[in-house]
Amino acid sequence: MKRLFPLLLISLVLLFSSVISANAESEFEMYLSDFYQKQEKASKILKEIETDLKDGSRDRVCARQREAASYGIKATESLIKAFKTNGSKTEMENLQAGLDKWRELRDYC
């Protein structure tokens, strides 16, 4: 549980700290939309796991953690593609670090 909370915070920071151009291209928007959808799914699963753990239930925690991480990885990859499509090179190191954290969460169980 201690490892889930920091990852959730990191993912939310990545979600809200990204600076996005107002004049987006369709490919950029497609990747960005994919990012938001997958990030929302990952966050929802992690919140459910956190609630279950607080209530004392460890039912399928690892399987759900891997599922959340899978969504998180795909979301971050989409965000990286969106930034590359837009020509932005800022935040790439942070995005790669976030991707590594998702992979670590996936492989933790």
Side-chain angles (χ1 to χ4, degrees):
M1 184 166 113
K2 290 180 181 180
R3 294 178 62 88
L4 291 176
F5 188 69
L7 183 60
L8 180 60
L9 288 177
I10 290 170
S11 65
L12 291 176
V13 168
L14 284 174
L15 177 67
F16 294 113
S17 68
S18 302
V19 178
I20 300 168
S21 171
N23 296 327
E25 297 178 44
S26 62
E27 189 176 7
F28 174 76
E29 289 174 348
M30 179 190 69
Y31 287 129
L32 198 58
S33 175
D34 188 56
F35 163 74
Y36 284 123
Q37 290 172 4
K38 289 186 170 87
Q39 186 68 25
E40 179 64 30
K41 289 178 183 178
S43 293
K44 182 181 178 207
I45 293 168
L46 290 175
K47 286 177 187 177
E48 290 170 356
I49 292 170
E50 184 177 12
T51 300
D52 288 350
L53 288 172
K54 285 180 181 177
D55 293 340
S57 174
R58 296 192 51 82
D59 186 39
R60 297 185 51 238
V61 169
C62 283
R64 292 179 1 207
Q65 181 175 318
R66 282 190 295 272
E67 180 184 9
S70 177
Y71 281 121
I73 290 167
K74 291 175 185 175
T76 306
E77 288 171 344
S78 289
L79 189 58
I80 290 170
K81 288 176 186 176
F83 278 113
K84 285 182 179 178
T85 298
N86 202 30
S88 176
K89 298 198 185 304
T90 61
E91 301 294 325
M92 284 301 169
E93 287 182 24
N94 291 337
L95 293 173
Q96 187 60 46
L99 189 58
D100 293 341
K101 287 290 183 185
W102 280 113
R103 288 181 178 142
E104 181 181 326
L105 181 66
R106 178 196 61 199
D107 298 338
Y108 178 69
C109 279

